[in-house]
Amino acid sequence: MNPPRLPRSLVVPLLVALLALSAPPSARAEARGHARATFHRRAVATGLSFPLTFTFSKAGRIYYGEKSSGEIHLLDPDSHDDRVFFTIPKVVDAGEQGLLGLALDPDFPSQPFVYAYATRDLDGTPYDQILRIRYANGHGKDPHVIFSSKTRSGAYHDGGRILFGPDGFLYAVQGDGHSSKLAQDKSNTAGKVIRMTRGGKPAPGNPFGQSRIWSYGHRNSFGMAFDPVTGRLWETENGPDCNDELNRIVKGGNFGWGPKETCDGQAPQNTNNSGPTPRILPKRFYTPTIAPTGTVFCHGCRLGSASKDRLFFGAFNTSQIRRVTLTSNRLGVASQEVVFTNDHGILSMERGTKGGIYFSDSGGIFRLVLA
């Protein structure tokens, strides 16, 4: 199975690659001088096939998805039992397509549903869909499509992160399908953060009437997480050849990505210049690009007082995990630092059932720990 082909903005600089090979993962963050404490990774499962997405049940078991095969696995981290829970049919995996997101019903297992975001072949055309799968005796059955994009899926910019919010509704991010103008077109969900009921209908209180759209003007995202202190949603976003972003999502907000985007001129306004004003600028932006991916908050994560309620996010290009301190009102970013450098690009990040922070790369799932 081949890893996704990434656009030119995600090409790893040679210097970063050389640094990544020059020291073991446990030593590199400290050697770079970015963190006072030394962070390590502890293997949970290795030898996996591109586990692009994973999530935890309340019992502590891990559901993870293989990007290319469409297989959802059920992993017991204590016994290491790993078996296929369900295989999503007709998954296509060109570029950034594939099985891209997983979430469990907030009331799981009493509401026994697993949700999956995947790119699927529908009569020869790829579309991004969200399916609801019933858990029954350790296996999945009765898949039901609750959302299907109106626009065909691009080989790149498919998004795919899904998670339930503290309000009980399902949030997802769909990429612009490699067409920036779609991000400003509110007749479809491409280039949007969307919010829906458990059955896939537009959630009550959405800003644009009977639409799933929650915010728009997005390019492509692999990470979203809710602040456990405030309930606000944060998102990582990949730029073109400039301006990767860290955003705080605002209901009805226009984040400015669209047909006027360019890497010339004043950053970050140059990639946030389309559609109606006001246009919301990122809380942090990154040039050269780092390809930010999964994000998670440290809430009872056992990584010391310096990490309490901080936001962590990974990057594919640099293989780094950053720790972000928010402002006192938790509306912006006060500071950030690199705390760990892995030996492969970071894919997804999640909070474990008992509070630890976990991440995946192309070959495994790991826990972030202190020395």
Side-chain angles (χ1 to χ4, degrees):
M1 300 176 185
N2 296 322
R5 178 188 169 202
L6 297 168
R8 64 183 185 278
S9 63
L10 305 192
V11 176
V12 183
L14 177 60
L15 178 59
V16 172
L18 292 172
L19 285 171
L21 293 172
S22 65
S26 61
R28 288 198 290 267
E30 187 175 40
R32 289 168 183 252
H34 289 294
R36 296 177 182 175
T38 302
F39 286 74
H40 295 256
R41 71 179 193 183
R42 181 181 299 159
V44 176
T46 57
L48 307 185
S49 181
F50 219 87
L52 186 57
T53 176
F54 69 98
T55 191
F56 284 84
S57 73
K58 294 176 182 177
R61 294 193 292 178
I62 299 173
Y63 290 77
Y64 73 86
E66 294 182 350
K67 174 188 179 295
S68 296
S69 69
E71 290 181 356
I72 302 172
H73 285 241
L74 182 53
L75 169 67
D76 186 325
D78 295 323
S79 68
H80 303 290
D81 177 62
D82 185 337
R83 54 189 172 83
V84 176
F85 168 75
F86 185 77
T87 301
I88 298 175
K90 300 182 179 180
V91 166
V92 294
D93 68 339
E96 293 170 354
Q97 299 172 340
L99 174 52
L100 307 178
L102 290 174
L104 300 185
D105 190 285
D107 295 321
F108 188 91
S110 60
Q111 292 294 320
F113 298 110
V114 178
Y115 293 77
Y117 185 118
T119 313
R120 303 180 68 216
D121 185 337
L122 303 181
D123 298 323
T125 302
Y127 287 92
D128 294 322
Q129 294 187 321
I130 298 176
L131 298 87
R132 186 176 65 186
I133 303 157
R134 180 181 293 275
Y135 176 98
N137 298 318
H139 295 280
K141 59 182 298 185
D142 302 330
H144 176 66
V145 176
I146 64 167
F147 164 79
S148 188
S149 61
K150 292 182 179 180
T151 54
R152 63 173 292 154
S153 166
Y156 303 107
H157 304 184
D158 292 284
R161 170 64 164 158
I162 57 174
L163 75 168
F164 279 91
D167 56 7
F169 295 113
L170 180 64
Y171 290 73
V173 60
Q174 185 184 0
D176 69 6
H178 227 224
S179 176
S180 59
K181 66 180 181 180
L182 293 178
Q184 291 294 325
D185 180 357
K186 292 195 285 292
S187 68
N188 68 75
T189 54
K192 316 294 192 305
V193 173
I194 56 178
R195 176 175 176 263
M196 65 191 78
T197 67
R198 299 179 191 187
K201 295 181 179 180
N206 280 2
F208 302 109
Q210 292 301 306
S211 168
R212 297 181 180 90
I213 296 172
W214 186 251
S215 64
Y216 66 105
H218 299 287
R219 184 177 183 268
N220 194 38
S221 174
F222 301 103
M224 293 194 298
F226 284 94
D227 183 343
V229 177
T230 66
R232 297 186 181 100
L233 181 61
W234 289 75
E235 176 238 25
T236 62
E237 190 160 327
N238 280 220
D241 290 331
C242 60
N243 299 357
D244 286 344
E245 297 179 354
L246 177 62
N247 292 309
R248 180 173 55 81
I249 300 301
V250 176
K251 175 183 178 179
N254 174 24
F255 286 77
W257 175 257
K260 295 181 180 180
E261 53 84 14
T262 177
C263 283
D264 297 329
Q266 179 66 42
Q269 290 86 348
N270 50 356
T271 54
N272 296 269
N273 59 7
S274 297
T277 56
R279 304 181 189 112
I280 301 171
L281 296 178
K283 300 305 178 183
R284 280 290 187 273
F285 66 96
Y286 306 89
T287 302
T289 55
I290 60 173
T293 51
T295 183
V296 65
F297 279 88
C298 173
H299 191 64
C301 70
R302 304 177 188 177
L303 291 177
S305 59
S307 295
K308 181 181 178 182
D309 295 329
R310 269 41 171 202
L311 182 152
F312 285 68
F313 75 89
F316 189 89
N317 277 6
T318 62
S319 305
Q320 294 173 330
I321 293 176
R322 281 173 166 78
R323 179 174 64 189
V324 178
T325 300
L326 302 185
T327 54
S328 59
N329 60 9
R330 301 187 73 81
L331 297 177
V333 171
S335 64
Q336 61 182 332
E337 57 186 342
V338 173
V339 295
F340 179 73
T341 303
N342 195 41
D343 50 4
H344 296 286
I346 307 297
L347 298 177
S348 184
M349 296 192 72
E350 293 288 343
R351 180 181 181 272
T353 303
K354 297 181 180 179
I357 286 182
Y358 296 76
F359 69 90
S360 65
D361 66 17
S362 60
I365 298 173
F366 306 88
R367 181 172 178 174
L368 191 64
V369 296
L370 288 174

